[in-house]
């Protein structure tokens, strides 16, 4: 699990990483296989990731959270592994994922969900005490989600993402 440790360490150093793992996702959200990830406590993280994604500054980001801690950070009414609903953010220091109305689209990650992504969230929590990550789709404005490793690497090479993790390979700038 060296890739998990490497990714969690990079995230704990406030780096932005691309995360390309396993099979692709189907649906409207990044759910931990094709994602751009960042520590949500970075005060200007929203601006940083919007610059990477080449999109408007007002656009919000979603969050992935270990399911058992979701109620500590969000006024969440039910588990949502598909990031379909907005819930109020309960803590003020998660500025990068908090929209202007105080909400966030939340993905809960349980023990039965995506095992590798779950391990990354667990390791990040062990290092930082925060069980939440900013999670957005692995693409830039106007481009489709990275379907192939070459798409992920093109995004990495043409953006200011700090690291790209494809399978067990870690690429850094």
């Amino acid at each position: 699990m060296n890739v998990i440790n490497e990714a969690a360490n990079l995230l704990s150093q406030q780096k932005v990483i691309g995360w390309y793992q396993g099979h692709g996702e189907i649906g409207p959200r990044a759910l931990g296989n094709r994602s751009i990830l960042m520590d949500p406590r970075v005060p200007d993280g929203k601006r940083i990731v919007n610059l990477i994604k080449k999109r408007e500054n007002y656009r919000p980001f979603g969050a992935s959270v270990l399911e058992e801690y979701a109620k500590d950070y969000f006024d969440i009414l039910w588990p949502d592994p598909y990031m379909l609903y907005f819930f109020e953010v309960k803590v003020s220091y998660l500025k990068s994922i908090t929209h202007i109305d105080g909400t966030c689209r939340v993905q809960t990650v349980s023990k039965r969900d995506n095992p590798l992504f779950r391990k990354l969230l667990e390791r990040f929590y062990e290092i930082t005490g925060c069980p939440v990550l900013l999670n957005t789709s692995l693409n830039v404005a106007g481009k489709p989600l990275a379907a192939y490793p070459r798409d992920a690497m093109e995004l990495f090479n043409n953006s200011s993402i700090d690291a790209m993790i494809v399978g067990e390979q870690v690429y850094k700038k």
Side-chain angles (χ1 to χ4, degrees):
M1 285 290 124
N2 288 337
V3 72
I4 296 295
N5 286 327
E6 183 73 23
N9 284 325
L10 287 165
L11 290 164
S12 73
Q13 297 164 21
Q14 301 186 347
K15 302 294 185 187
V16 179
I17 69 168
W19 182 254
Y20 183 100
Q21 299 294 324
H23 59 80
E25 296 152 330
I26 297 174
R29 307 281 169 249
L31 301 174
N33 289 341
R34 304 288 187 277
S35 296
I36 295 173
L37 303 170
M38 183 181 206
D39 183 338
R41 301 169 301 163
V42 174
D44 64 342
K46 190 182 297 186
R47 181 190 62 79
I48 292 167
V49 179
N50 272 323
L51 282 172
I52 289 168
K53 289 185 67 83
K54 301 176 179 147
R55 62 185 215 165
E56 302 85 2
N57 284 328
Y58 66 84
R59 307 258 322 255
F61 290 109
S64 296
V65 60
L66 292 170
E67 184 178 79
E68 60 270 29
Y69 296 103
K71 289 186 181 205
D72 297 336
Y73 292 84
F74 306 97
D75 272 336
I76 194 161
L77 303 173
W78 52 79
D80 182 10
Y82 302 108
M83 201 184 283
L84 296 175
Y85 301 100
F86 288 94
F87 298 102
E88 219 166 295
V89 180
K90 292 168 82 170
V91 293
S92 62
Y93 57 85
L94 297 180
K95 296 198 182 309
S96 295
I97 58 162
T98 305
H99 193 44
I100 194 166
D101 65 358
T103 66
C104 179
R105 192 181 302 261
V106 178
Q107 173 197 19
T108 55
V109 182
S110 74
K111 292 182 179 176
R112 65 189 170 281
D113 294 328
N114 186 331
L116 193 63
F117 189 53
R118 168 80 189 192
K119 286 180 180 155
L120 175 58
L121 277 163
E122 288 171 341
R123 184 68 184 125
F124 182 73
Y125 176 59
E126 288 170 7
I127 295 169
T128 66
C130 179
V132 183
L133 285 173
L134 179 152
N135 181 3
T136 189
S137 57
L138 188 59
N139 69 329
V140 296
K143 297 280 188 178
L145 192 65
Y148 300 99
R150 69 176 177 265
D151 301 328
M153 293 309 296
E154 180 181 332
L155 191 153
F156 175 62
N157 291 325
N158 295 314
S159 75
S160 57
I161 287 178
D162 298 302
M164 180 64 67
I165 300 173
V166 179
E168 290 289 320
Q169 297 297 311
V170 179
Y171 304 91
K172 297 184 210 176
K173 290 185 178 165

